[in-house]
Amino acid sequence: METPGELQRAEYDLSVLAPNGLRRGRSTGSCATAAVRAALYRLLAGIRLERTEVSLPDGRHYISVPVQQAELLEEGLAQAEVLKDGGDDPDNTHGATIFAQVRRNDAGEIRFFAGEGVGTATMPGLRVAVGEPAINPVPRGMMRAAVAEVLGELCPGGRAGDAGWLGQGFDLTIGCREGRAIAPKTFNPRLGIVGGISILGTSGIVEPMSMASWIASIEVYIRVALADCGEGDVVAYLPGKIGRGFVAQELGLPDKRSVQIANFLGDALDFTQQALAEQGRRLPMLWLAGHPGKLAKVLDGVWDTHSSKSNMAMQGVARVAQNMNAPLYVFDTELVQQMKEANTVEAVIELVRGRDESLSRALWTEIEARIAMLAAARVPHADRVEVRLFDLDGRQLGAGA
């Protein structure tokens, strides 16, 4: 019998194209979760699944994922494989085989291990601790939920104890057949992740964002947003999901005037200027909101912020800190060097915040101002550009902190 939670779920149909006419895909996190489910069914019930349903992190949807293989490797150890389908997004992991090996443990908990082709974190500043497999928090949560779901499905009515599974722990080893070959094409070596790829995803879905046709669709969205502007209205551009709460709640902007621009900040600004110039009008305010890992790349003159097109932003951020040295703000040589050597911008955020909260606010406020100045130069028909930067948890870093 289905639980109330299951009755409320709806299938997220990946055959329905994204607004830009491109096909969505499955994240590595979704693929790993599907493999965990299939391996558990094989281990606990002897069932070989050909497809399985993966609950998405939004709690309202699931996707149906084909299973390539599900076998018992030995007594008490099952393995399942799922093919990564990134849709129409040019993802390095597209077509790779993601696998999960599952065995019981006596620890009474879910434990994660890096299998062949999945990396291990060796440097601080990531979403996982040093020494842990490079499986990000959201995919871990999806896999933990999947274990609970499978136990509930195999023991309807909550009779897990009758099957000897009450309080049962499982070891989940997640791997990628081609991971070692793929990893050098990603930022993982720079991030200190060794041995393979990372298992990623925040929504379970790969949106086809990094395509030429997506750039064309951004122009359409921008023109729609500008057309929706009345006297004194403003628009906001966001590279991703970070900052959406600020735009919706604090700025009070409707979805139509909040545009997801992916990695194409330069194109978005140029489209804005072109549309405003054609219409002979001005925009009172343009907001940019997001993580400095994307937006701060413009400090180095980078306007296409895709990881394949640009370096990471730590050097530019450190340079601003160095230039700020004055009686009020002192970034000593050691701190600046640590910022330059950090493996992510998020690590820089934590480093400076840990040193001095007021120093952190001053740094990010200055960076917001510099990004705004650079962006404003590309949109002379905008009277003002304002920037707000956020950490990965959505906390404001600069002027709004």
Side-chain angles (χ1 to χ4, degrees):
M1 179 180 293
E2 291 177 306
T3 67
E6 289 170 330
L7 289 172
Q8 294 170 4
R9 292 189 313 159
E11 183 174 4
Y12 193 108
D13 189 354
L14 292 177
S15 69
V16 176
L17 300 181
N20 56 4
L22 298 175
R23 195 168 59 90
R24 296 180 173 96
R26 301 184 291 268
S27 69
T28 48
S30 288
C31 294
T33 303
V36 166
R37 283 183 56 88
L40 270 173
Y41 264 90
R42 189 73 178 91
L43 178 68
L44 300 179
I47 298 172
R48 286 190 180 93
L49 297 180
E50 294 184 357
R51 300 189 73 90
T52 190
E53 295 177 0
V54 171
S55 297
L56 297 180
D58 67 4
R60 303 189 308 274
H61 296 91
Y62 68 88
I63 56 174
S64 179
V65 181
V67 178
Q68 297 295 108
Q69 182 180 343
E71 301 293 343
L72 280 175
L73 298 182
E74 59 185 58
E75 182 68 26
L77 175 64
Q79 175 176 288
E81 298 180 351
V82 169
L83 198 65
K84 167 67 189 299
D85 181 0
D88 287 332
D89 194 68
D91 188 322
N92 286 318
T93 58
H94 179 69
T97 299
I98 308 296
F99 67 85
Q101 295 176 355
V102 178
R103 70 165 75 239
R104 304 186 197 198
N105 68 45
D106 295 326
E109 61 185 26
I110 307 299
R111 302 188 300 197
F112 295 91
F113 299 89
E116 172 197 348
V118 164
T120 299
T122 65
M123 296 171 62
L126 302 173
R127 301 293 275 175
V128 297
V130 171
E132 281 287 307
I135 305 170
N136 271 17
V138 170
R140 289 181 185 230
M142 292 173 67
M143 285 181 251
R144 289 191 181 98
V147 172
E149 289 170 0
V150 170
L151 295 184
E153 291 159 10
L154 293 177
C155 294
R159 297 192 299 272
D162 297 343
W165 298 339
L166 191 63
Q168 177 68 65
F170 293 92
D171 289 344
L172 311 182
T173 299
I174 309 301
C176 174
R177 293 279 175 239
E178 306 84 354
R180 284 189 179 274
I182 294 170
K185 304 173 186 176
T186 72
F187 268 129
N188 275 13
R190 175 70 177 85
L191 296 174
I193 296 172
V194 300
I197 65 166
S198 299
I199 302 299
L200 303 172
T202 56
S203 67
I205 303 298
V206 175
E207 292 287 347
M209 297 172 63
S210 305
M211 310 286 291
S213 53
W214 183 245
I215 299 175
S217 69
I218 288 173
E219 180 176 13
V220 175
Y221 299 147
I222 285 173
R223 288 181 177 271
V224 169
L226 294 174
D228 191 59
C229 287
E231 186 76 25
D233 284 340
V234 305
V235 298
Y237 299 162
L238 303 90
K241 296 180 180 179
I242 294 174
R244 283 199 307 188
F246 167 80
V247 169
Q249 297 160 22
E250 296 197 32
L251 300 184
L253 295 189
D255 288 344
K256 192 177 288 186
R257 285 191 273 122
S258 173
V259 181
Q260 296 260 330
I261 61 170
N263 298 298
F264 308 110
L265 176 57
D267 291 304
L269 297 175
D270 293 345
F271 293 148
T272 304
Q273 173 59 23
Q274 182 180 358
L276 292 171
E278 288 173 0
Q279 299 164 19
R281 54 184 288 216
R282 301 192 65 80
L283 183 67
M285 175 89 79
L286 169 62
W287 286 89
L288 303 177
H291 192 273
K294 289 289 187 186
L295 292 176
K297 290 185 178 184
V298 306
L299 299 172
D300 291 318
V302 174
W303 296 93
D304 180 345
T305 61
H306 193 279
S307 60
S308 67
K309 302 286 185 65
S310 60
N311 291 321
M312 301 171 80
M314 289 82 74
Q315 297 297 317
V317 170
R319 187 172 62 252
V320 172
Q322 196 166 22
N323 294 341
M324 282 179 65
N325 278 332
L328 287 178
Y329 307 113
V330 179
F331 288 84
D332 58 68
T333 303
E334 180 184 3
L335 178 57
V336 171
Q337 188 61 33
Q338 289 174 340
M339 293 168 68
K340 291 179 179 179
E341 294 174 355
N343 58 335
T344 65
V345 174
E346 189 72 10
V348 172
I349 292 171
E350 295 302 325
L351 177 66
V352 180
R353 181 187 280 152
R355 179 70 67 92
D356 188 313
E357 286 277 0
S358 63
L359 195 65
S360 174
R361 283 192 299 273
L363 171 64
W364 297 111
T365 300
E366 176 66 18
I367 289 175
E368 288 172 344
R370 294 192 185 201
I371 295 170
M373 180 184 67
L374 292 166
R378 292 186 76 139
V379 194
H381 276 63
D383 294 332
R384 186 176 169 193
V385 176
E386 281 284 336
V387 177
R388 289 295 182 270
L389 299 175
F390 303 80
D391 65 15
L392 288 176
D393 294 322
R395 291 178 292 178
Q396 289 207 49
L397 296 172

